[in-house]
Amino acid sequence: MRTFIEPLFVNIAIIFAFTHLLNMISPFQTNQDLSLKNKVMYGLLSGIGALACMIYPIETLRESFFDLRNVPILIVSLYAGWVPGIICTVMVIIARLFIGGGVAWLGVVLALVAIITALCYRNFFTERKRKRWQPAIFIAVVYSLFYSMFIYTYLDFLPMQFYVVYFSCFFIAFFSCIFLIERLFSINMQLKETAYLDKLSVAGQMAAAIAHEVRNPLTTVRGLIQFLGKETEDTKLKEFSPLLLDELDRTNKIITDYLTMVKPADARLEVLDINDILSDVKSLISPYGSMHDVDIKLEPIGDFPLIADAQQLKQCLINLIKNGIEAIEGEGVIHIYLYNSTKHDFTFVIEDNGKGMSHEELDQIGLPFYTTKSKGTGLGTMITYRLIQEMYGKLKYESQLGVGTRVLITLPVAEQTDWKGGA
């Protein structure tokens, strides 16, 4: 049995090493549209990892060579698609034919079974972003059944202990690799959020330093222009003074937004019903939507009590819906509906059918001064991010050019002791 276990555990270590190497070269990101260059790189590195597994096979089973070469094929096909999957599979097939032997054809067939199984169930796997263990178990079982059927039929000399050891190692490698990748997704997202918070902190320090100094002379200038606009006989000054006042008011609003971002008003926390909040927001924003020929459709979210400041939450939702309305060219619809829920939090979606955003634009959303609108400042989105985080919630954007954008808002559910007046 030791002759079976040792090479397979070396294979597992190789698979882990190459998974970390891929993450170092191109960090794993959720909802990342991989370029052709990245897909080819994933395929080549996965193929090299599979070939490294083939260097350490179980060699005591006549002409057959057993290792975990097909695990990289399954993993890269499930996560990155058919291009890297085919590259990895072709490399494995060429290497197995080069090794030769009377059952080389069986190694080719098993590699093809791996990629066909992965690609057939890839959509089932990728659409379960929060519950990938269920499809992963299903895929592993389906592949194992086909694998065991082939080797049982054509390699009748294999002892029972081989089946126990080999498939145990296969499941360990497969599920451990998925767990590792999902953890790397989470860690990379946290690092990205940390970098964003650092940038937000810099912007906040700038705002705190200059806001009051700029605001005072602006107030003086505004008062003088307003006074002169009424008292002067200069027709040009009378004509342009309203425009000057509007621009000064807009500048003052930007400073106010900065101050809100740095130090929001003290929150008045209370138990809220998300359906009541969304209903109020819809009533407030619907006239603006009608002006742009955009219909707002609100589905009941469910019974999820939360503790938050009602005005701040409404401000966030109005900002998000307003951005969706302005992203729609011509007639359109804003859908608001429940995405998923647990006993600890719930996620609802604000989805538009506007022009959408590219992957590069998605990466910039929420950063200081970044906006996709010609007259925007980007501060509304920054404030929304800040307020949602202070409610212990999360904000996530998903978008596709020409299709639209959806914003996923995750908020914590109030504990029963909190909303019933307990400690």
Side-chain angles (χ1 to χ4, degrees), residues 40-299:
V40 171
M41 180 196 66
Y42 277 23
L44 291 174
L45 285 177
S46 298
I48 294 171
L51 296 182
C53 290
M54 296 175 72
I55 297 174
Y56 301 95
I58 301 173
E59 298 178 335
T60 58
L61 301 172
R62 300 185 189 179
E63 292 183 320
S64 63
F65 293 87
F66 282 94
D67 48 62
L68 299 178
R69 76 192 80 149
N70 292 337
V71 173
I73 295 176
L74 285 166
I75 294 295
V76 78
S77 300
L78 287 172
Y79 278 100
W82 65 271
V83 172
I86 287 177
I87 292 172
C88 185
T89 305
V90 169
M91 292 175 68
V92 167
I93 289 174
I94 292 173
R96 186 63 189 91
L97 292 175
F98 178 78
I99 293 171
V103 291
W105 65 271
L106 185 57
V108 173
V109 170
L110 294 175
L112 292 174
V113 168
I115 188 172
I116 291 171
T117 303
L119 294 181
C120 284
Y121 296 104
R122 183 171 185 262
N123 289 338
F124 178 44
F125 179 79
T126 54
E127 69 185 10
R128 299 291 187 93
K129 295 179 180 179
R130 294 173 65 93
K131 299 178 180 179
R132 281 183 172 160
W133 291 111
Q134 296 174 3
I137 293 171
F138 179 80
I139 292 166
V141 170
V142 169
Y143 172 73
S144 298
L145 288 174
F146 278 108
Y147 195 103
S148 57
M149 180 183 69
F150 274 106
I151 62 175
Y152 182 79
T153 303
Y154 295 102
L155 303 176
D156 55 1
F157 56 83
L158 295 174
M160 183 55 64
Q161 64 180 1
F162 164 81
Y163 287 91
V164 174
V165 172
Y166 181 82
F167 285 104
S168 296
C169 290
F170 166 76
F171 282 112
I172 290 171
F174 183 72
F175 290 115
S176 297
C177 196
I178 289 177
F179 175 78
L180 175 60
I181 292 172
E182 294 297 322
R183 285 295 301 157
L184 289 172
F185 276 134
S186 177
I187 291 169
N188 292 339
M189 179 61 70
Q190 290 172 2
L191 290 174
K192 192 175 180 180
E193 289 178 353
T194 301
Y196 164 75
L197 290 174
D198 287 341
K199 294 178 182 179
L200 192 63
S201 176
V202 171
Q205 292 171 7
M206 290 169 50
I210 68 174
H212 291 293
E213 297 299 325
V214 173
R215 210 171 192 178
N216 291 335
L218 280 179
T219 304
T220 303
V221 171
R222 191 188 188 286
L224 289 172
I225 292 174
Q226 191 173 20
F227 173 76
L228 293 173
K230 291 180 180 179
E231 301 297 329
T232 187
E233 299 296 328
D234 190 324
T235 56
K236 289 291 183 181
L237 182 56
K238 282 185 175 290
E239 179 183 354
F240 289 110
S241 61
L243 177 61
L244 292 172
L245 293 174
D246 287 342
E247 289 301 304
L248 287 171
D249 288 340
R250 191 167 75 89
T251 304
N252 190 56
K253 183 181 181 302
I254 292 172
I255 294 173
T256 302
D257 286 344
Y258 258 126
L259 290 173
T260 303
M261 179 186 67
V262 178
K263 188 178 179 181
D266 292 337
R268 298 178 60 184
L269 300 179
E270 55 186 318
V271 178
L272 304 174
D273 184 330
I274 188 61
N275 293 292
D276 292 342
I277 294 294
L278 286 171
S279 180
D280 291 346
V281 168
K282 180 183 176 183
S283 299
L284 292 169
I285 201 69
S286 286
Y288 187 74
S290 299
M291 289 172 54
H292 292 77
D293 295 322
V294 175
D295 187 24
I296 300 173
K297 294 186 177 180
L298 172 61
E299 298 179 10

Side-chain angles (χ1 to χ4, degrees), residues 364-383:
Q364 302 297 317
I365 286 293
L367 295 181
F369 300 112
Y370 182 80
T371 178
T372 58
K373 296 182 285 189
S374 58
K375 294 185 178 180
T377 63
L379 295 177
T381 306
M382 287 185 71
I383 293 168

